Amino acid sequence: MPGKYFTKPEPAQSDRVPPGQYLAKGFPVLSYGETPQINTDDWLFKVWGLVTERRFSWADFMALPQQDFTADFHCVTRWSKLDVKWTGVRVTDFLAAIAMDDRATHIMQHCYGDYTTNLTLEDFARPENFFAHTLDGAPLPAEHGGPMRLVVPHLYAWKSGKWINGIEFLDHNEEGFWERNGYHNRGEPWAEERYAGR
Ligand SMILES: Nc1nc2c(c(=O)[nH]1)N[C@H]1C(S)=C(S)[C@@H](COP(=O)(O)O)O[C@H]1N2
Ligand SMILES: [Mo]
């Protein structure tokens, strides 16, 4: 895989690049299907299931605490990108703004375009996870999930839903799009949890 677009990690980076991954020189786009074009005036984000149901307009979401983040990004198709710079809302700050039911143990991410991906509440509520609307100081481009995506740095990037528009709170595991299609339920890159049953 090394070549024009990918490089083998330097030894000094090896503690940051999970096994079997190469460094991408640019920021590849990995989307299943078309890129939805969503204007922030029309954007609506919902929480439902084991939570007090609520809708956030773009302005509601921007009123939540905003922060800068630097995070590594690991795609299961074997490219990684280190130190990606984002701005957005920390998942723990988002959770503090809603009223989740104590019975919730799992969540499902729902996205414009119908992509879904699941997480345990524990993997979702980690302090390094965030909703991102800005990449390198500019509005998040549509192909990278703009206007809003989730970023979950400790799992393979298919767990970071682009064009996110809702979180469903559950008391059991449900599989999302790639999990139903053979990917691992959790997707931890250091353990190479790429495919189900391996
Ligand atoms: N809604 C949606 N989210 C998605 C995807 C997708 O196809 N649709 N692809 C996933 C995969 S496999 C990866 S690697 C990352 C890619 O993000 P990028 O295109 O910004 O590099 O988004 C993830 N989130
Ligand atoms: Mo991916």
Side-chain angles (χ1 to χ4, degrees):
M1 185 157 170
K4 193 166 163 207
Y5 300 110
F6 301 97
T7 57
K8 250 189 126 107
E10 300 292 324
Q13 295 168 315
S14 60
D15 61 334
R16 296 183 54 196
V17 183
Q21 297 293 109
Y22 295 89
L23 289 176
K25 289 179 186 167
F27 192 176
V29 170
L30 235 290
S31 304
Y32 184 86
E34 306 269 289
T35 294
Q37 303 292 333
I38 303 110
N39 178 312
T40 53
D41 290 340
D42 302 326
W43 186 83
L44 202 58
F45 185 96
K46 294 186 242 178
V47 294
W48 74 95
L50 295 171
V51 64
T52 304
E53 253 183 60
R54 185 162 160 198
R55 287 161 180 247
F56 291 81
S57 67
W58 189 259
D60 296 334
F61 216 91
M62 293 306 117
L64 297 171
Q66 305 289 322
Q67 245 143 37
D68 293 335
F69 300 88
T70 300
D72 297 347
F73 199 82
H74 308 294
C75 173
V76 70
T77 66
R78 299 189 180 272
W79 58 269
S80 291
K81 187 169 172 57
L82 304 182
D83 292 329
V84 189
K85 303 270 191 285
W86 312 88
T87 308
V89 174
R90 201 180 287 283
V91 167
T92 50
D93 287 336
F94 170 77
L95 288 172
I98 60 174
M100 190 176 65
D101 194 303
D102 289 342
R103 291 169 300 165
T105 55
H106 293 73
I107 66 104
M108 185 69 79
Q109 302 172 44
H110 293 265
C111 303
Y112 288 102
D114 289 340
Y115 184 87
T116 51
T117 187
N118 62 329
L119 292 170
T120 62
L121 184 61
E122 198 182 346
D123 278 327
F124 179 56
R126 283 170 63 137
E128 71 270 27
N129 297 345
F130 54 93
F131 294 92
H133 52 69
T134 297
L135 171 64
D136 286 331
L140 179 61
E143 66 270 22
H144 284 300
M148 185 81 75
R149 78 176 303 162
L150 189 68
V151 179
V152 178
H154 75 289
L155 299 177
Y156 283 126
W158 88 77
K159 295 291 189 179
S160 294
K162 304 200 282 189
W163 318 297
I164 197 159
N165 69 358
I167 301 287
E168 180 183 6
F169 290 83
L170 299 161
D171 63 3
H172 58 278
N173 184 55
E174 275 183 28
E175 295 178 324
F177 175 72
W178 282 120
E179 294 83 14
R180 282 195 303 275
N181 285 286
Y183 281 20
H184 195 277
N185 190 62
R186 179 155 188 253
E188 211 284 309
W190 295 92
E192 290 202 71
E193 292 174 344
R194 297 175 190 274
Y195 308 108
R198 282 181 218 184

